[in-house]
Amino acid sequence: THCISSAASDVYKRQVKSGSNEPVKFQFDSVKGRAQIGDTILSFKCIDGSYPDFNRVFPERSDKISIDLSQSQIEKFSTDQRSRAITLSADDGFMQTRDLNNNVIRVPIEGHGEAFGFNLSYLKAFLDISPEINIQGKCSSDPFYINPECTDCQYILMPMKV
């Protein structure tokens, strides 16, 4: 396992074009790493030190709560809303937030499970990676798995109280 700085990660993200399927080749040795994207090569130093077992952060998988979302659904919400929180209520069939005038904005969703909330900006960031995602979790207070339509990565997102 290798850890890289957020600065190296930011440079990498700027080089990868949104929606691109161009392969990225990573190479690591004990202290350095490199990522090749097309003709561009990014070199960086790995972060030294011992870190806690990050695998413990990942919750046990459960589909007690499961919702499919698309970019077109989330685009109906502005990050200029009164609240950054968005409530997803699969059993009721909608997600909602409030605008600057305190009006409720609701969009239909499909899935099952109890209501929970996320930071709207974080949810939009995941949908920038993949136009469709599946959200799965055990209960409204536990971390949720964010499953993009095609990736080998694992993502989790902490819920927020709404």
Side-chain angles (χ1 to χ4, degrees):
T1 301
H2 301 280
C3 294
I4 65 172
S5 70
S6 60
S9 176
D10 290 343
V11 170
Y12 166 76
K13 286 190 281 187
R14 284 194 301 270
Q15 293 298 316
V16 175
K17 293 177 180 55
S18 179
S20 172
N21 285 331
E22 187 171 5
V24 178
K25 183 179 178 184
F26 286 96
Q27 294 176 317
F28 293 94
D29 64 23
S30 60
V31 290
K32 292 184 182 176
R34 110 187 208 163
Q36 182 172 351
I37 307 160
D39 293 333
T40 305
I41 297 173
L42 304 172
S43 296
F44 48 87
K45 183 177 183 242
C46 295
I47 298 173
D48 298 330
S50 62
Y51 297 91
D53 181 6
F54 66 88
N55 286 314
R56 293 187 326 186
V57 174
F58 290 95
E60 181 180 320
R61 283 205 178 259
S62 171
D63 64 353
K64 199 169 186 182
I65 301 171
S66 181
I67 296 173
D68 293 320
L69 283 183
S70 69
Q71 202 169 38
S72 62
Q73 287 173 295
I74 207 76
E75 284 174 349
K76 297 184 181 356
F77 299 101
S78 165
T79 49
D80 294 337
Q81 304 298 343
R82 178 174 173 259
S83 170
R84 290 253 185 212
I86 186 166
T87 302
L88 294 94
S89 184
D91 284 346
D92 295 325
F94 64 82
M95 60 181 164
Q96 74 178 26
T97 192
R98 294 190 176 271
D99 67 13
L100 296 172
N101 296 319
N102 210 28
N103 298 314
V104 174
I105 300 169
R106 241 179 221 182
V107 173
I109 58 173
E110 291 191 23
H112 60 270
E114 65 183 292
F116 60 94
F118 281 140
N119 179 307
L120 179 58
S121 297
Y122 296 163
L123 200 53
K124 282 187 173 202
F126 281 110
L127 284 157
D128 285 343
I129 295 169
S130 176
E132 293 184 5
I133 60 173
N134 171 262
I135 300 169
Q136 290 185 326
K138 187 164 77 174
C139 71
S140 63
S141 60
D142 284 352
F144 283 81
Y145 276 95
I146 307 296
N147 305 304
E149 54 184 1
C150 61
T151 184
D152 291 332
C153 296
Q154 292 186 51
Y155 300 100
I156 60 168
L157 184 59
M158 294 298 296
M160 63 185 293
K161 291 186 181 183
V162 287

PDB file of all heavy atoms in Angstrom, residues 63-67 87-92 94 109 111-117 135 137-142 144:
ATOM      1  N   ASP A  63     -26.903  -4.313   1.794  1.00  0.00           N
ATOM      2  CA  ASP A  63     -27.799  -3.620   0.871  1.00  0.00           C
ATOM      3  C   ASP A  63     -29.155  -3.349   1.537  1.00  0.00           C
ATOM      4  O   ASP A  63     -30.179  -3.248   0.885  1.00  0.00           O
ATOM      5  CB  ASP A  63     -27.962  -4.386  -0.438  1.00  0.00           C
ATOM      6  CG  ASP A  63     -28.626  -5.740  -0.250  1.00  0.00           C
ATOM      7  OD1 ASP A  63     -28.840  -6.153   0.913  1.00  0.00           O
ATOM      8  OD2 ASP A  63     -28.939  -6.379  -1.266  1.00  0.00           O
ATOM      9  N   LYS A  64     -29.111  -3.213   2.874  1.00  0.00           N
ATOM     10  CA  LYS A  64     -30.334  -2.882   3.607  1.00  0.00           C
ATOM     11  C   LYS A  64     -30.903  -1.551   3.106  1.00  0.00           C
ATOM     12  O   LYS A  64     -32.109  -1.363   3.025  1.00  0.00           O
ATOM     13  CB  LYS A  64     -30.016  -2.812   5.102  1.00  0.00           C
ATOM     14  CG  LYS A  64     -31.197  -2.914   5.988  1.00  0.00           C
ATOM     15  CD  LYS A  64     -30.759  -3.095   7.431  1.00  0.00           C
ATOM     16  CE  LYS A  64     -31.947  -3.350   8.305  1.00  0.00           C
ATOM     17  NZ  LYS A  64     -31.577  -3.484   9.701  1.00  0.00           N
ATOM     18  N   ILE A  65     -29.998  -0.634   2.765  1.00  0.00           N
ATOM     19  CA  ILE A  65     -30.362   0.613   2.098  1.00  0.00           C
ATOM     20  C   ILE A  65     -29.668   0.575   0.741  1.00  0.00           C
ATOM     21  O   ILE A  65     -28.462   0.330   0.668  1.00  0.00           O
ATOM     22  CB  ILE A  65     -29.907   1.854   2.883  1.00  0.00           C
ATOM     23  CG1 ILE A  65     -30.515   1.875   4.281  1.00  0.00           C
ATOM     24  CG2 ILE A  65     -30.249   3.126   2.117  1.00  0.00           C
ATOM     25  CD1 ILE A  65     -29.949   2.956   5.189  1.00  0.00           C
ATOM     26  N   SER A  66     -30.410   0.797  -0.327  1.00  0.00           N
ATOM     27  CA  SER A  66     -29.821   0.781  -1.669  1.00  0.00           C
ATOM     28  C   SER A  66     -30.579   1.748  -2.568  1.00  0.00           C
ATOM     29  O   SER A  66     -31.809   1.704  -2.631  1.00  0.00           O
ATOM     30  CB  SER A  66     -29.874  -0.633  -2.260  1.00  0.00           C
ATOM     31  OG  SER A  66     -29.275  -0.649  -3.542  1.00  0.00           O
ATOM     32  N   ILE A  67     -29.827   2.641  -3.222  1.00  0.00           N
ATOM     33  CA  ILE A  67     -30.428   3.653  -4.109  1.00  0.00           C
ATOM     34  C   ILE A  67     -29.554   3.787  -5.351  1.00  0.00           C
ATOM     35  O   ILE A  67     -28.331   3.833  -5.247  1.00  0.00           O
ATOM     36  CB  ILE A  67     -30.523   5.025  -3.405  1.00  0.00           C
ATOM     37  CG1 ILE A  67     -31.457   4.948  -2.200  1.00  0.00           C
ATOM     38  CG2 ILE A  67     -30.987   6.110  -4.380  1.00  0.00           C
ATOM     39  CD1 ILE A  67     -31.494   6.192  -1.356  1.00  0.00           C
ATOM     40  N   THR A  87     -31.408  15.110   1.636  1.00  0.00           N
ATOM     41  CA  THR A  87     -32.017  13.945   2.261  1.00  0.00           C
ATOM     42  C   THR A  87     -32.431  12.968   1.176  1.00  0.00           C
ATOM     43  O   THR A  87     -33.089  13.361   0.212  1.00  0.00           O
ATOM     44  CB  THR A  87     -33.253  14.341   3.093  1.00  0.00           C
ATOM     45  OG1 THR A  87     -32.860  15.286   4.078  1.00  0.00           O
ATOM     46  CG2 THR A  87     -33.871  13.131   3.763  1.00  0.00           C
ATOM     47  N   LEU A  88     -32.025  11.714   1.322  1.00  0.00           N
ATOM     48  CA  LEU A  88     -32.428  10.666   0.394  1.00  0.00           C
ATOM     49  C   LEU A  88     -33.360   9.722   1.148  1.00  0.00           C
ATOM     50  O   LEU A  88     -32.971   9.168   2.186  1.00  0.00           O
ATOM     51  CB  LEU A  88     -31.210   9.899  -0.132  1.00  0.00           C
ATOM     52  CG  LEU A  88     -30.282  10.736  -1.012  1.00  0.00           C
ATOM     53  CD1 LEU A  88     -29.166  11.338  -0.191  1.00  0.00           C
ATOM     54  CD2 LEU A  88     -29.735   9.909  -2.130  1.00  0.00           C
ATOM     55  N   SER A  89     -34.563   9.580   0.661  1.00  0.00           N
ATOM     56  CA  SER A  89     -35.564   8.748   1.322  1.00  0.00           C
ATOM     57  C   SER A  89     -36.128   7.762   0.309  1.00  0.00           C
ATOM     58  O   SER A  89     -37.143   8.018  -0.332  1.00  0.00           O
ATOM     59  CB  SER A  89     -36.670   9.632   1.904  1.00  0.00           C
ATOM     60  OG  SER A  89     -37.595   8.863   2.615  1.00  0.00           O
ATOM     61  N   ALA A  90     -35.453   6.628   0.171  1.00  0.00           N
ATOM     62  CA  ALA A  90     -35.825   5.648  -0.858  1.00  0.00           C
ATOM     63  C   ALA A  90     -37.221   5.078  -0.627  1.00  0.00           C
ATOM     64  O   ALA A  90     -37.990   4.938  -1.570  1.00  0.00           O
ATOM     65  CB  ALA A  90     -34.797   4.527  -0.902  1.00  0.00           C
ATOM     66  N   ASP A  91     -37.547   4.751   0.619  1.00  0.00           N
ATOM     67  CA  ASP A  91     -38.871   4.178   0.888  1.00  0.00           C
ATOM     68  C   ASP A  91     -39.990   5.153   0.537  1.00  0.00           C
ATOM     69  O   ASP A  91     -41.085   4.739   0.167  1.00  0.00           O
ATOM     70  CB  ASP A  91     -38.991   3.742   2.354  1.00  0.00           C
ATOM     71  CG  ASP A  91     -38.248   2.443   2.630  1.00  0.00           C
ATOM     72  OD1 ASP A  91     -37.867   1.737   1.661  1.00  0.00           O
ATOM     73  OD2 ASP A  91     -38.043   2.130   3.825  1.00  0.00           O
ATOM     74  N   ASP A  92     -39.711   6.466   0.637  1.00  0.00           N
ATOM     75  CA  ASP A  92     -40.701   7.479   0.250  1.00  0.00           C
ATOM     76  C   ASP A  92     -40.581   7.859  -1.225  1.00  0.00           C
ATOM     77  O   ASP A  92     -41.422   8.586  -1.751  1.00  0.00           O
ATOM     78  CB  ASP A  92     -40.548   8.729   1.124  1.00  0.00           C
ATOM     79  CG  ASP A  92     -40.878   8.432   2.583  1.00  0.00           C
ATOM     80  OD1 ASP A  92     -41.781   7.607   2.841  1.00  0.00           O
ATOM     81  OD2 ASP A  92     -40.216   9.007   3.468  1.00  0.00           O
ATOM     82  N   PHE A  94     -38.098   9.718  -2.876  1.00  0.00           N
ATOM     83  CA  PHE A  94     -37.584  11.029  -3.276  1.00  0.00           C
ATOM     84  C   PHE A  94     -36.297  11.380  -2.541  1.00  0.00           C
ATOM     85  O   PHE A  94     -35.973  10.799  -1.517  1.00  0.00           O
ATOM     86  CB  PHE A  94     -38.623  12.125  -3.052  1.00  0.00           C
ATOM     87  CG  PHE A  94     -38.997  12.329  -1.602  1.00  0.00           C
ATOM     88  CD1 PHE A  94     -38.208  13.109  -0.760  1.00  0.00           C
ATOM     89  CD2 PHE A  94     -40.130  11.738  -1.077  1.00  0.00           C
ATOM     90  CE1 PHE A  94     -38.544  13.294   0.573  1.00  0.00           C
ATOM     91  CE2 PHE A  94     -40.475  11.910   0.254  1.00  0.00           C
ATOM     92  CZ  PHE A  94     -39.683  12.689   1.080  1.00  0.00           C
ATOM     93  N   ILE A 109     -36.622   9.221  -6.725  1.00  0.00           N
ATOM     94  CA  ILE A 109     -35.545   8.222  -6.753  1.00  0.00           C
ATOM     95  C   ILE A 109     -36.153   6.841  -6.575  1.00  0.00           C
ATOM     96  O   ILE A 109     -37.287   6.711  -6.120  1.00  0.00           O
ATOM     97  CB  ILE A 109     -34.469   8.457  -5.662  1.00  0.00           C
ATOM     98  CG1 ILE A 109     -35.091   8.444  -4.259  1.00  0.00           C
ATOM     99  CG2 ILE A 109     -33.691   9.719  -5.929  1.00  0.00           C
ATOM    100  CD1 ILE A 109     -34.074   8.497  -3.128  1.00  0.00           C
ATOM    101  N   GLY A 111     -35.308   2.867  -4.994  1.00  0.00           N
ATOM    102  CA  GLY A 111     -34.463   2.091  -4.113  1.00  0.00           C
ATOM    103  C   GLY A 111     -35.259   1.653  -2.902  1.00  0.00           C
ATOM    104  O   GLY A 111     -36.493   1.682  -2.910  1.00  0.00           O
ATOM    105  N   HIS A 112     -34.556   1.258  -1.853  1.00  0.00           N
ATOM    106  CA  HIS A 112     -35.232   0.858  -0.626  1.00  0.00           C
ATOM    107  C   HIS A 112     -34.354   1.205   0.575  1.00  0.00           C
ATOM    108  O   HIS A 112     -33.144   1.305   0.462  1.00  0.00           O
ATOM    109  CB  HIS A 112     -35.557  -0.645  -0.641  1.00  0.00           C
ATOM    110  CG  HIS A 112     -34.338  -1.509  -0.755  1.00  0.00           C
ATOM    111  ND1 HIS A 112     -33.825  -1.894  -1.961  1.00  0.00           N
ATOM    112  CD2 HIS A 112     -33.514  -2.044   0.190  1.00  0.00           C
ATOM    113  CE1 HIS A 112     -32.756  -2.635  -1.774  1.00  0.00           C
ATOM    114  NE2 HIS A 112     -32.530  -2.737  -0.470  1.00  0.00           N
ATOM    115  N   GLY A 113     -35.016   1.402   1.710  1.00  0.00           N
ATOM    116  CA  GLY A 113     -34.295   1.661   2.950  1.00  0.00           C
ATOM    117  C   GLY A 113     -34.688   2.980   3.599  1.00  0.00           C
ATOM    118  O   GLY A 113     -35.361   3.816   3.004  1.00  0.00           O
ATOM    119  N   GLU A 114     -34.234   3.126   4.833  1.00  0.00           N
ATOM    120  CA  GLU A 114     -34.557   4.311   5.628  1.00  0.00           C
ATOM    121  C   GLU A 114     -33.898   5.575   5.066  1.00  0.00           C
ATOM    122  O   GLU A 114     -32.952   5.502   4.285  1.00  0.00           O
ATOM    123  CB  GLU A 114     -34.123   4.098   7.080  1.00  0.00           C
ATOM    124  CG  GLU A 114     -32.613   3.971   7.253  1.00  0.00           C
ATOM    125  CD  GLU A 114     -32.196   3.681   8.683  1.00  0.00           C
ATOM    126  OE1 GLU A 114     -32.367   4.576   9.542  1.00  0.00           O
ATOM    127  OE2 GLU A 114     -31.699   2.578   8.937  1.00  0.00           O
ATOM    128  N   ALA A 115     -34.409   6.731   5.493  1.00  0.00           N
ATOM    129  CA  ALA A 115     -33.885   8.023   5.032  1.00  0.00           C
ATOM    130  C   ALA A 115     -32.527   8.320   5.666  1.00  0.00           C
ATOM    131  O   ALA A 115     -32.246   7.906   6.792  1.00  0.00           O
ATOM    132  CB  ALA A 115     -34.882   9.127   5.378  1.00  0.00           C
ATOM    133  N   PHE A 116     -31.703   9.041   4.924  1.00  0.00           N
ATOM    134  CA  PHE A 116     -30.387   9.468   5.403  1.00  0.00           C
ATOM    135  C   PHE A 116     -29.991  10.718   4.636  1.00  0.00           C
ATOM    136  O   PHE A 116     -30.659  11.116   3.686  1.00  0.00           O
ATOM    137  CB  PHE A 116     -29.343   8.356   5.224  1.00  0.00           C
ATOM    138  CG  PHE A 116     -29.144   7.934   3.800  1.00  0.00           C
ATOM    139  CD1 PHE A 116     -28.140   8.488   3.024  1.00  0.00           C
ATOM    140  CD2 PHE A 116     -29.974   6.991   3.230  1.00  0.00           C
ATOM    141  CE1 PHE A 116     -27.961   8.102   1.713  1.00  0.00           C
ATOM    142  CE2 PHE A 116     -29.799   6.592   1.907  1.00  0.00           C
ATOM    143  CZ  PHE A 116     -28.798   7.153   1.151  1.00  0.00           C
ATOM    144  N   GLY A 117     -28.903  11.347   5.053  1.00  0.00           N
ATOM    145  CA  GLY A 117     -28.471  12.575   4.400  1.00  0.00           C
ATOM    146  C   GLY A 117     -27.012  12.543   4.010  1.00  0.00           C
ATOM    147  O   GLY A 117     -26.209  11.815   4.602  1.00  0.00           O
ATOM    148  N   ILE A 135     -25.762   3.518  -4.269  1.00  0.00           N
ATOM    149  CA  ILE A 135     -25.396   3.802  -2.880  1.00  0.00           C
ATOM    150  C   ILE A 135     -25.937   2.661  -2.032  1.00  0.00           C
ATOM    151  O   ILE A 135     -27.126   2.329  -2.133  1.00  0.00           O
ATOM    152  CB  ILE A 135     -26.014   5.136  -2.416  1.00  0.00           C
ATOM    153  CG1 ILE A 135     -25.524   6.273  -3.295  1.00  0.00           C
ATOM    154  CG2 ILE A 135     -25.715   5.389  -0.949  1.00  0.00           C
ATOM    155  CD1 ILE A 135     -26.282   7.572  -3.095  1.00  0.00           C
ATOM    156  N   GLY A 137     -25.827   0.792   2.024  1.00  0.00           N
ATOM    157  CA  GLY A 137     -25.416   0.880   3.406  1.00  0.00           C
ATOM    158  C   GLY A 137     -26.299   0.059   4.311  1.00  0.00           C
ATOM    159  O   GLY A 137     -27.334  -0.467   3.895  1.00  0.00           O
ATOM    160  N   LYS A 138     -25.867  -0.011   5.562  1.00  0.00           N
ATOM    161  CA  LYS A 138     -26.585  -0.809   6.549  1.00  0.00           C
ATOM    162  C   LYS A 138     -27.626   0.021   7.303  1.00  0.00           C
ATOM    163  O   LYS A 138     -28.738  -0.420   7.519  1.00  0.00           O
ATOM    164  CB  LYS A 138     -25.577  -1.422   7.522  1.00  0.00           C
ATOM    165  CG  LYS A 138     -26.179  -2.402   8.490  1.00  0.00           C
ATOM    166  CD  LYS A 138     -25.139  -3.261   9.175  1.00  0.00           C
ATOM    167  CE  LYS A 138     -24.418  -2.534  10.248  1.00  0.00           C
ATOM    168  NZ  LYS A 138     -23.494  -3.350  11.024  1.00  0.00           N
ATOM    169  N   CYS A 139     -27.245   1.238   7.712  1.00  0.00           N
ATOM    170  CA  CYS A 139     -28.190   2.109   8.414  1.00  0.00           C
ATOM    171  C   CYS A 139     -27.772   3.567   8.202  1.00  0.00           C
ATOM    172  O   CYS A 139     -26.667   3.844   7.746  1.00  0.00           O
ATOM    173  CB  CYS A 139     -28.287   1.766   9.898  1.00  0.00           C
ATOM    174  SG  CYS A 139     -26.852   2.195  10.872  1.00  0.00           S
ATOM    175  N   SER A 140     -28.650   4.476   8.535  1.00  0.00           N
ATOM    176  CA  SER A 140     -28.458   5.892   8.213  1.00  0.00           C
ATOM    177  C   SER A 140     -27.269   6.546   8.900  1.00  0.00           C
ATOM    178  O   SER A 140     -26.827   7.614   8.490  1.00  0.00           O
ATOM    179  CB  SER A 140     -29.727   6.676   8.547  1.00  0.00           C
ATOM    180  OG  SER A 140     -29.993   6.610   9.933  1.00  0.00           O
ATOM    181  N   SER A 141     -26.717   5.918   9.939  1.00  0.00           N
ATOM    182  CA  SER A 141     -25.590   6.524  10.655  1.00  0.00           C
ATOM    183  C   SER A 141     -24.239   5.888  10.306  1.00  0.00           C
ATOM    184  O   SER A 141     -23.209   6.368  10.764  1.00  0.00           O
ATOM    185  CB  SER A 141     -25.828   6.435  12.165  1.00  0.00           C
ATOM    186  OG  SER A 141     -25.951   5.082  12.555  1.00  0.00           O
ATOM    187  N   ASP A 142     -24.241   4.834   9.508  1.00  0.00           N
ATOM    188  CA  ASP A 142     -22.999   4.159   9.117  1.00  0.00           C
ATOM    189  C   ASP A 142     -22.496   4.685   7.776  1.00  0.00           C
ATOM    190  O   ASP A 142     -23.278   5.210   6.976  1.00  0.00           O
ATOM    191  CB  ASP A 142     -23.231   2.650   8.990  1.00  0.00           C
ATOM    192  CG  ASP A 142     -23.312   1.955  10.341  1.00  0.00           C
ATOM    193  OD1 ASP A 142     -23.037   2.602  11.366  1.00  0.00           O
ATOM    194  OD2 ASP A 142     -23.665   0.760  10.356  1.00  0.00           O
ATOM    195  N   PHE A 144     -21.504   4.741   3.907  1.00  0.00           N
ATOM    196  CA  PHE A 144     -22.149   4.119   2.754  1.00  0.00           C
ATOM    197  C   PHE A 144     -21.112   3.830   1.679  1.00  0.00           C
ATOM    198  O   PHE A 144     -20.184   4.619   1.471  1.00  0.00           O
ATOM    199  CB  PHE A 144     -23.202   5.061   2.158  1.00  0.00           C
ATOM    200  CG  PHE A 144     -24.471   5.118   2.945  1.00  0.00           C
ATOM    201  CD1 PHE A 144     -24.573   5.918   4.072  1.00  0.00           C
ATOM    202  CD2 PHE A 144     -25.570   4.377   2.554  1.00  0.00           C
ATOM    203  CE1 PHE A 144     -25.746   5.982   4.793  1.00  0.00           C
ATOM    204  CE2 PHE A 144     -26.747   4.425   3.274  1.00  0.00           C
ATOM    205  CZ  PHE A 144     -26.838   5.225   4.402  1.00  0.00           C
TER     206      PHE A 144
END
